[in-house]
Amino acid sequence: MNRLWVRLTLAFLLVTLLMAAFVAVAITWSASRQFRGYLAQPGVFARGGALDVLEAHYEAYGSWAGVGDSLRAVRPRLRRGAFPKHRPPLLVTDAQGRIVYDEAGRQRIGQMLDPIALASAQPVVVSDAVVGYVLAGSPDFDPLGPLERRFLSDLQGSIALIALVGVGLGIVAGLFVSRSLSKPLTVVAQAAHAFAQRDWSQRVPLKATAHIAEVAEVAQAFNRMADSLQQAEAQRRNLMADVAHELRTPLTVIQGSLRALLDGVHPLQMKEIAAVYDETRLLARLVEDVRELALAEAHQLPMAIRPVDVGAALRATAERFAAAADAQQVALGVSISEGIPPAQADPDRLAQVLHNLVSNAFRHTPPGGQITLSAEALADGVRVSVRDTGEGIAEEDLPRVFDRFYRSDRSRSRSTGGAGLGLAIAKSLVENMGGRIGVESRLGQGSEFWFMLPALDHPKPSS
């Protein structure tokens, strides 16, 4: 009983029964009423000559006195009318509706005819004036004879049979419609159950739900959710594998160095201890980067958003990397457009984003190259970019440069290429500050990493 198709079928059955019963009763009542009215209508019996007799009588006498004698003279002709065996009695009134003749008896002579009955009476017209009315049958007269009753009984039986056939067709149609409506939902439920059993490839076939717009929308939403969850699961597995891989290298170095010291292979000197300490620092930095990235992606990283001077932030970053630029023989420049409004950002997180982008640029820029930090005001905020003249990024690698642990150059080691978390952290931090980040690059022509931050106001960029 809790199945949707059962409930829909019962609803269709109930509606069909109610409609069939209503239609059957309405048709039976209307047909009986119309048939009785037809039998009793004056025109049926007027063909026997009653109207002609009444008109002739009034023209001859100028009143309705003695009208019964005139009508008795035409009774044989009335019996040869439409229903000779069961003719209704005649009733005659004057122009005001007062009964002057009643074939059924004299009890009502002189009484006023009911206005409703008078409305259905046949007028008697003499010299273009209504002088009276004739009515076939009294209000309590039943014009139905045995044949007429049998006719109505057969008609009612036919109507009942048709109603039963209609109910049967309604049940069949209800079953078909209810099953067609519930089947797409069953398909979605089966896909959801399979997906819950960790069948990540399970999707709802859209063709099976296309004929119902609402269910099709649910199916599309489920497929989008499934795609997102499958991608998140793949990222989770990749993250676990990458974290395990990144942790294994420093742990292996630490374990090997300590084993060598314990076995006496290396003497216990400050150089050996310093090497182990450096590996622990790398390990601690990796763990902190993973923790920070997880907080940023969950939007749980504390942010102190306030107006920030972007130009001052770029100049401070350039000063921090000045010694590294001299050592690597790379020209480091800053280009700041005029009229830049303050950006809405966390100053510490902004400095971290710039540090990660500039560090990435140094890793990919050879001696003699150039790195430029720039900022400009656009209509929708402040645009900050870090441009280098390094080897560039292949087009197929561009969509993944902000992924965790991703390195476009597979030949780079962790020590030379980083852990692969800097750009992912930068992306999450920028998005947490309400901005967006992107990259433009071509092989052999360098790369430009840029990000947009909301501005305190939006002045037009200067020419």
Side-chain angles (χ1 to χ4, degrees):
M1 291 294 293
N2 290 328
R3 304 293 294 180
L4 177 62
W5 71 269
V6 175
R7 291 178 176 268
L8 289 174
T9 301
L10 292 177
F12 275 109
L13 176 60
L14 178 61
V15 172
T16 303
L17 286 173
L18 291 176
M19 290 303 298
F22 172 77
V23 171
V25 171
I27 292 178
T28 301
W29 176 82
S30 178
S32 177
R33 180 175 176 274
Q34 296 295 329
F35 186 59
R36 291 173 184 269
Y38 170 76
L39 294 180
Q41 66 175 322
V44 173
F45 303 98
R47 293 196 296 269
L51 277 177
D52 295 337
V53 172
L54 292 173
E55 292 172 359
H57 177 87
Y58 197 87
E59 285 180 341
Y61 298 101
S63 69
W64 292 113
V67 68
D69 296 334
S70 298
L71 288 174
R72 278 191 289 271
V74 297
R75 280 180 179 175
R77 282 185 290 169
L78 292 175
R79 292 194 184 97
R80 294 194 296 270
F83 303 96
K85 293 183 180 180
H86 200 66
R87 181 180 64 78
L90 295 180
L91 192 70
V92 181
T93 73
D94 59 12
Q96 287 73 36
R98 183 177 288 105
I99 299 174
V100 297
Y101 174 76
D102 185 0
E103 192 177 15
R106 302 182 58 85
Q107 293 82 359
R108 296 188 298 168
I109 300 297
Q111 297 180 8
M112 297 298 295
L113 185 64
D114 182 81
I116 297 177
L118 186 64
S120 62
Q122 179 75 22
V124 181
V125 180
V126 176
S127 300
D128 297 329
V130 177
V131 297
Y133 295 91
V134 59
L135 182 67
S138 59
D140 56 351
F141 172 73
D142 186 2
L144 298 182
L147 292 177
E148 290 80 26
R149 294 180 185 279
R150 182 176 179 182
F151 170 77
L152 280 181
S153 177
D154 293 342
L155 178 63
Q156 292 170 356
S158 300
I159 293 174
L161 179 61
I162 293 173
L164 289 176
V165 172
V167 170
L169 293 177
I171 294 174
V172 174
L175 283 171
F176 174 77
V177 173
S178 61
R179 294 294 289 180
S180 65
L181 289 176
S182 61
K183 185 177 180 180
L185 293 176
T186 302
V187 173
V188 175
Q190 291 174 348
H193 288 312
F195 199 83
Q197 299 298 321
R198 308 183 73 83
D199 182 3
W200 307 117
S201 62
Q202 185 67 44
R203 297 294 185 273
V204 178
L206 297 181
K207 186 177 180 181
T209 61
H211 61 288
I212 304 178
E214 290 79 3
V215 181
E217 292 178 1
V218 173
Q220 293 173 359
F222 174 85
N223 288 345
R224 288 193 295 268
M225 178 199 70
D227 292 338
S228 178
L229 291 177
Q230 185 178 18
Q231 183 179 5
E233 176 63 15
Q235 291 178 349
R236 184 189 68 82
R237 292 179 179 179
N238 292 336
L239 175 62
M240 297 301 295
D242 291 336
V243 168
H245 173 74
E246 295 297 330
L247 292 177
R248 185 183 299 114
T249 301
L251 287 175
T252 302
V253 173
I254 294 172
Q255 185 179 16
S257 299
L258 292 176
R259 173 58 59 184
L261 292 174
L262 291 174
D263 294 342
V265 176
H266 297 303
L268 185 59
Q269 296 179 351
M270 293 301 296
K271 184 175 78 171
E272 299 298 334
I273 297 176
V276 174
Y277 177 70
D278 289 340
E279 292 298 329
T280 60
R281 290 180 57 197
L282 291 174
L283 190 60
R285 188 184 70 181
L286 177 61
V287 171
E288 179 61 25
D289 287 347
V290 171
R291 186 192 71 85
E292 191 170 63
L293 179 60
L295 290 175
E297 290 183 343
H299 298 283
Q300 296 179 354
L301 199 63
M303 288 283 176
I305 303 297
R306 60 176 181 268
V308 176
D309 186 347
V310 177
L314 292 182
R315 285 188 286 267
T317 301
E319 291 177 2
R320 283 196 295 270
F321 282 90
D326 293 339
Q328 196 170 322
Q329 300 178 359
V330 172
L332 180 60
V334 178
S335 174
I336 303 173
S337 300
E338 295 182 359
I340 296 180
Q344 296 284 5
D346 183 317
D348 295 334
R349 301 303 180 185
L350 175 59
Q352 185 177 359
V353 171
L354 292 172
H355 181 276
N356 289 357
L357 294 181
V358 174
S359 297
N360 180 74
F362 269 102
R363 281 194 294 269
H364 295 276
T365 303
Q370 184 176 355
I371 298 176
T372 303
L373 283 65
S374 62
E376 60 179 335
L378 298 180
D380 54 347
V382 178
R383 185 180 191 273
V384 181
S385 66
V386 177
R387 182 189 298 272
D388 63 62
T389 57
E391 71 273 12
I393 304 172
E395 185 175 356
E396 61 271 17
D397 291 326
L398 286 176
R400 299 191 59 192
V401 294
F402 293 104
D403 291 351
R404 308 184 193 97
F405 300 105
Y406 184 76
R407 300 190 187 94
S408 58
D409 188 354
R410 304 298 191 278
S411 63
R412 289 180 177 269
S413 65
R414 180 172 51 84
S415 59
T416 58
L421 291 175
L423 296 181
I425 292 175
K427 179 177 182 295
S428 296
L429 291 178
V430 170
E431 291 176 350
N432 272 262
M433 290 186 290
R436 64 183 190 276
I437 192 170
V439 59
E440 300 172 4
S441 180
R442 287 188 179 182
L443 280 176
Q445 299 183 13
S447 303
E448 179 184 11
F449 285 84
W450 59 268
F451 60 92
M452 293 286 300
L453 291 175
L456 195 61
D457 50 37
H458 301 287
K460 294 183 179 180
S462 60
S463 58

